[in-house]
Structures are given as structure tokens and as C-alpha cells.
Amino acid sequence: MDSANTLILLCGLLLVVSILAAVASNRLGAPVLLTFLLIGMLAGEQGVLGIEFNNPDVAFFIGSSALVIILFDGGMRTHPERFRVALWPAISLATVGVALTCTLVASLAVYWFGLPWPAALLMGAILSSTDAAAVFGIFQSRGLQIKERVASTLEIESGSNDPMAVILTLTMTGAVASGNFPDWYWIGLDIVWQLIGGLTIGWLGGRLFILAARKLPLSFSFFPLLAVASAISIYALTAKLHASGFLAVYLMGFVIGNARLPQLVHILQVQDGLAWLSQIAMFLILGLLVVPSHLVANAPVAIGIAFTLIFIARPFAVVVSLLPFSFPWREQVFISWVGLRGAVPIILALFPWLSGVPNQELYFDIAFVVVMISLVIQGWSIAPVVRWLGLEVPLKARPQQRMPLSSIPSKEALEVWLYRIDKNSPACDHTWKELKLTAPATFVGLIRDGEWLQPETQPTVEEGDGLMVAATVKDIDEVSRILASGGKGLKVSEKDFFGDFTLRGDLTLADVGSFYPLGQLDDRLLSTTIADYFLQKFHRRVVIGDMIRLGDVILTVRKISDKGDIESIGVKPVKT
């Protein structure tokens, strides 16, 4: 009993310290995941607490389970429009990019460090995939709103490139252990089955959960638990069938997250906490597993491979993979820089350890150092780089609190939203009737100095008020546009980013040229609408924040419909 209580105490203390350290690291701009890794190392056998942990099986089990929860959460937060602009570029990065990264890392490891080809290819395979936990975690913790084409590409890539990396790692692990390489066509068939099997089982799992959520008479408190249990079951079933379990749970999350279930808000709230708990547990256990003195012994090779990966292999793989899609160069630079390595390479490095290949701990130690360097160099610099490249857009206006009316039967999800009014809010200094919302929403009242001002009193909205409305989830964008001030926390406001004036997307360039100095335009372009001109320039993958300079003005896409049509354009003069 005493040993059990000591273990519980240590686990609790490690969680508390990790959470408090995460607050401090956010203020310093440090990657939170790096903090968790360092705390794990400090608690390890050569650290402050001296905890001896040398069980790769347990680490693999915890790491895989945590990744399932993280990918499931990431899938639920991925919206369909992201696939419209980024599906095929992300797939290219997840397949061609992974293969190129593996090959380049292996080639330079052989040329510079004299590693044998089988060992070098295994190392390249382990390090070839980006990490969903790192990408999702850093974007979320920094509150970054990046241009949708870039963010979507990175998130879909990180959620879908695990199958390729797993297949390459398993193939090379078997080759190193046995000395025999399988035929290339067997590898190709394995990749196809991993993808098809993962996608099929993930889609079916999502549809079955949606059916269960609509039919089962469960308390809403049980649905988050049912969702996690279902995701873990789908992962295990898919992996048992030798398909991609990680891809299956990511797609399952996507299907559930876009089904407009009334229970979804509850599920997401619980999932957010579970995803963070999973990240903490995963990085702590991996930090405990490492022996710092071993890292020092392999540091020269690991540092060389890390810089090869960051500055050579990743940029080359991105440029080649995105060639057919005509991405702007700034976006390619950022995608190259945010090839973050996290827990996935460290977990993949456990495959050789568990398989008993020669120098089994070498792969783990090198992967660990590479991940540390990636989190320090790339993770720490994400916010400055995205602003330097001009890829950040104003945050979408959203309510400060969302309260689902889950017990009320309705075809559409009903919620009560609370908006904290500031001086930039369009609702400030107006009564509810003066706002004239175009979306249906019911005024519930104001919270002022802790008191509820009821709608019948027709109060004027003031700075600092909490304004409450009831509406359906599908109208959240339109309602928030009036009741919340977008761009909070950014260095650039919506006005500075989009300009003072807004134009309809169906206006022609000739119409715009009659009001603004667009410079010399080809006569054939004068009859082209602004929307069509953007579609031509960005190869039909237009997102909010895309800019074009014409003469002395900058046109910026401000609003896009659910169908992908450009509805409005911001106009601002070129700064001199």
C-alpha cells in the first residue's frame, strides 16, 4: 500500500508541476511539449527524483493511446472547408514528402556520418513524419490564426502522414533485423491497404457513433466517455487488421466533429482536457525513458541529422511535394519551417528497441535529440516567423462562453452564448433592437456588475457588459460578427488587415477601377470579376487573407461562403 501511495503521489506531483510549468513556458514563448519532455528527464534516473524507468513496452502503450486521443481531438476540430483547399497538397506531403525526407536523411547520414544504409534508412523512416500533437498543440497554445490554406495543409499532413512513416519504419526494422529487404510492390500494396483500410474503418466508426449518439438514451455526461472509448476501439480494430489505426481515428473524429450533434460541445470540452492530459502523460513517460548520458554520447550524429532534417530534407521535400499546387513562396517557407517533430518519431524509435535490432537504443536516443532540437528551434520561433511572413489573419470573433441547451429536443443544436463587450465591439453603445442581426438570435439579457438586466428593460449595451443570446450553432459566425470584436490579441486589427472599405466579390475590375487607382490593366481583364481574378491567381484555392496588389491598392479576401465563393473583398491603400 505504501508503494502504491508513493507512486500515486509522484504521478500527481508530476502532473501538477507540468501544468504549472506550461503556464510559465507560455509566457516565455517556449513550446509546451518541450517543457513536458524536460520535466520527464528531470524526474528520470539521472535527474532530481531518480525514477528508474526502462520499459519501452509500457512507454509504447501509453504513447500510442495518447496519440489516439490527440488525433481524435484534432479530427473533430477539422472543418470540411479545410479539405477543400488543402487535401491534395497535404496528401502529397504525407506520401511523397515522407518518402523524400526519409531518403534525404538516410543519404546524408551515410555520406556524412558513415552509417550503414539499412540503419540510415531506418533512421530516416523514424524521423520522416511530422507530429500532430506538436502541430495542434503549438497552434492552440499560441492562439495563432494562420491563413487557412497553410494551417489546413499542416494539420491534415500531420494527421495523415503517420501511415507512411509507420510502414517505412516497420519495413526497415524488419530489414535491419533479418538482413532481407521486401520487394517494392509488397511495400506499395501495404501502403495502399493501410490508407484504404484506415479511411474505410474510420468513416464507418464515425457514422456508427453518430447513429448511437442520436438513438441511445444516455445522459450527456456519458457521451464524451463513449466517444473516447469508441476511438480507442476503432484504433485497436484497425491496427489488428494491419491498416492505419491513426488515420482511422483522425477520420472518425472528423466525421463526428462535422455531424452537428447536440452532444458535440460536451464532447469537445472533455476532449480538450483529455488531449492535454494525453500530451502531458506521453511526453513525461518518454522523458522518463531517456538516459541523458546516452544522449551526450550520440549527440554529434543526432545534431547533424537534426540540422539536415530541418534545413535540407524538409524544405526540399516541401518544394517538390507542392510543385503541382502553385503555393505562394511565403507559404512554402512556413510549411517547410513547421515540419515539427514530436512524440511520433520517439514512439516510432521504440519499434527497433522492441524488435531487438542491433544498437536498438541508438535510434531512440537520436530521435529524442532531434525532437528536442526541432521543438527548440522550430517550435520556439513559430509565432515570429508567421508574422514575419505575413501569414497571420485576425482571429474569428467568437463568444467567450458557450452553453449548450442539450436537454431541449431540436433538429439543430441550440446554445446560449455570452459575449464580453469591449469598446471595439459593434454592439457597444447600442440597444438590442438597433443591432439588426441578419441571423436569427434571441436576446437573453445583459450581465452588468453581477446583475442580470432582463430583455424587457431594453438596456443599452456598455463596455464591460456580458451580452447573452440564444441561437443555433450554424449561425455563430454571423452573430459573433456583430456581438464580438474580432482580432483580439493580435498585433493587427481587422481594420488594419482588411482596410476601411469592403467590396462585393462579383464587382468587375472595371467597376473597382472607377473608384480606386488599379494601375494599368489589360483590357481583357476589365470585365473579370474580383472573385474570378483571385481564383485565377490562387488556382482556385482562395482563403481568407489572400492578397493581391493592383496599382496603389491592396485587395484582401475578407469573406468566403460555405461553397467556397468569394463574397467580399477588403480594400486598403499601399503604405508609402
Side-chain angles (χ1 to χ4, degrees):
M1 287 292 293
D2 189 56
S3 299
N5 290 333
T6 301
L7 180 61
I8 293 171
L9 176 62
L10 285 173
C11 292
L13 286 175
L14 283 174
L15 282 175
V16 170
V17 170
S18 298
I19 293 168
L20 295 178
V23 176
S25 66
N26 266 332
R27 291 183 177 179
L28 295 173
V32 177
L33 307 183
L34 177 63
T35 304
F36 300 153
L37 274 178
L38 292 175
I39 291 175
M41 291 176 64
L42 288 172
E45 62 180 275
Q46 294 182 348
V48 177
L49 298 181
I51 299 174
E52 292 187 14
F53 179 75
N54 191 31
N55 195 326
D57 296 275
V58 172
F60 183 78
F61 172 77
I62 294 175
S64 299
S65 302
L67 276 177
V68 168
I69 295 173
I70 293 164
L71 284 168
F72 183 58
D73 180 71
M76 284 197 293
R77 299 178 193 277
T78 302
H79 299 291
E81 58 267 22
R82 298 208 160 189
F83 285 91
R84 175 184 65 84
V85 298
L87 177 60
W88 293 113
I91 293 297
S92 180
L93 285 168
T95 52
V96 177
V98 167
L100 284 174
T101 301
C102 174
T103 305
L104 280 171
V105 169
S107 300
L108 293 172
V110 171
Y111 181 74
W112 283 344
F113 303 108
L115 292 180
W117 269 107
L121 285 169
L122 175 54
M123 183 58 64
I126 289 169
L127 298 172
S128 59
S129 75
T130 56
D131 189 283
V135 173
F136 296 150
I138 289 179
F139 282 2
Q140 186 177 359
S141 64
R142 299 293 173 80
L144 290 175
Q145 184 77 19
I146 302 171
K147 287 179 68 173
E148 186 182 13
R149 181 171 49 248
V150 180
S152 302
T153 300
L154 287 167
E155 290 185 9
I156 297 172
E157 177 205 7
S158 65
S160 60
N161 62 8
D162 293 331
M164 188 75 169
V166 170
I167 292 167
L168 290 175
T169 302
L170 288 173
T171 301
M172 295 312 306
T173 299
V176 172
S178 64
N180 297 317
F181 284 84
D183 294 325
W184 64 269
Y185 52 84
W186 285 116
I187 299 176
L189 288 174
D190 193 13
I191 293 173
V192 171
W193 167 241
Q194 287 260 3
L195 295 173
I196 293 176
L199 291 170
T200 303
I201 298 172
W203 184 83
L204 289 173
R207 298 307 304 173
L208 285 173
F209 179 85
I210 292 168
L211 182 64
R214 288 173 175 164
K215 299 294 184 182
L216 291 176
L218 286 175
S219 166
F220 272 72
S221 301
F222 282 101
F223 279 103
L225 302 178
L226 180 63
V228 173
S230 301
I232 293 173
S233 300
I234 288 295
Y235 165 78
L237 174 64
T238 310
K240 275 284 186 182
L241 296 173
H242 303 289
S244 174
F246 292 134
L247 182 60
V249 294
Y250 180 75
L251 181 63
M252 179 183 178
F254 172 77
V255 172
I256 294 171
N258 292 280
R260 292 185 176 176
L261 292 171
Q263 305 94 334
L264 184 61
V265 174
H266 286 284
I267 294 173
L268 288 174
Q269 287 174 343
V270 175
Q271 266 298 132
D272 190 43
L274 286 176
W276 276 111
L277 178 61
S278 299
Q279 291 190 51
I280 293 172
M282 177 172 56
F283 280 89
L284 281 178
I285 204 73
L286 293 174
L288 282 171
L289 190 61
V290 75
V291 180
S293 60
H294 294 173
L295 300 183
V296 175
N298 297 309
V301 176
I303 293 171
I305 289 177
F307 280 83
T308 296
L309 180 65
I310 294 171
F311 296 104
I312 300 176
R314 173 67 179 181
F316 181 80
V318 167
V319 170
V320 173
S321 300
L322 296 182
L323 269 179
F325 306 104
S326 303
F327 268 55
W329 71 267
R330 292 177 183 272
E331 297 179 11
Q332 292 191 52
V333 169
F334 186 72
I335 293 171
S336 299
W337 189 247
V338 191
L340 281 167
R341 268 57 188 176
V344 171
I346 303 177
I347 292 172
L348 291 180
L350 293 174
F351 286 174
W353 198 341
L354 295 171
S355 301
V357 302
N359 298 318
Q360 54 194 20
E361 294 185 14
L362 171 70
Y363 303 99
F364 181 83
D365 293 338
I366 290 178
F368 195 93
V369 173
V370 170
V371 168
M372 294 278 286
I373 293 173
S374 175
L375 289 175
V376 169
I377 295 179
Q378 295 171 293
W380 215 312
S381 61
I382 280 182
V385 170
V386 74
R387 287 171 182 141
W388 172 63
L389 292 171
L391 299 179
E392 189 178 27
V393 298
L395 288 167
K396 278 188 175 181
R398 281 291 182 267
Q400 275 65 46
Q401 291 184 17
R402 299 174 62 176
M403 293 151 279
L405 303 176
S406 50
S407 60
I408 300 176
S410 173
K411 292 182 179 180
E412 298 186 47
L414 294 173
E415 294 182 355
V416 173
W417 301 326
L418 174 68
Y419 293 91
R420 186 64 59 188
I421 303 300
D422 62 28
K423 62 182 179 181
N424 296 318
S425 173
C428 193
D429 299 326
H430 294 280
T431 64
W432 175 255
K433 290 185 178 180
E434 292 173 339
L435 297 180
K436 301 185 184 301
L437 270 71
T438 56
T442 300
F443 181 46
V444 180
L446 298 177
I447 302 297
R448 182 181 296 165
D449 298 326
E451 295 185 5
W452 176 30
L453 305 184
Q454 298 184 34
E456 292 79 8
T457 62
Q458 298 185 18
T460 299
V461 181
E462 298 178 2
E463 182 181 354
D465 286 349
L467 188 151
M468 296 186 295
V469 298
T472 59
V473 174
K474 68 180 179 63
D475 295 317
I476 190 169
D477 286 335
E478 187 60 29
V479 175
S480 297
R481 184 180 63 83
I482 300 298
L483 300 183
S485 54
K488 185 178 180 181
L490 291 184
K491 292 183 178 180
V492 59
S493 66
E494 286 194 9
K495 180 179 178 181
D496 292 333
F497 189 84
F498 294 109
D500 291 320
F501 302 100
T502 301
L503 302 175
R504 298 195 320 271
D506 58 0
L507 291 176
T508 66
L509 291 177
D511 295 332
V512 179
S514 62
F515 295 100
Y516 298 98
L518 300 184
Q520 294 295 323
L521 291 175
D522 193 313
D523 292 340
R524 292 172 295 179
L525 293 176
L526 295 177
S527 60
T528 304
T529 65
I530 310 175
D532 288 338
Y533 189 66
F534 268 91
L535 291 174
Q536 293 172 19
K537 288 292 184 181
F538 290 92
H539 303 274
R540 312 199 70 79
R541 289 188 178 83
V542 181
V543 297
I544 293 173
D546 279 339
M547 297 181 181
I548 293 176
R549 175 175 175 174
L550 289 176
D552 295 330
V553 298
I554 295 175
L555 306 178
T556 307
V557 177
R558 183 161 194 158
K559 185 177 181 182
I560 295 179
S561 70
D562 293 336
K563 297 180 179 179
D565 300 323
I566 301 174
E567 293 188 351
S568 63
I569 304 289
V571 184
K572 63 180 180 181
V574 176
K575 293 182 179 180
T576 56

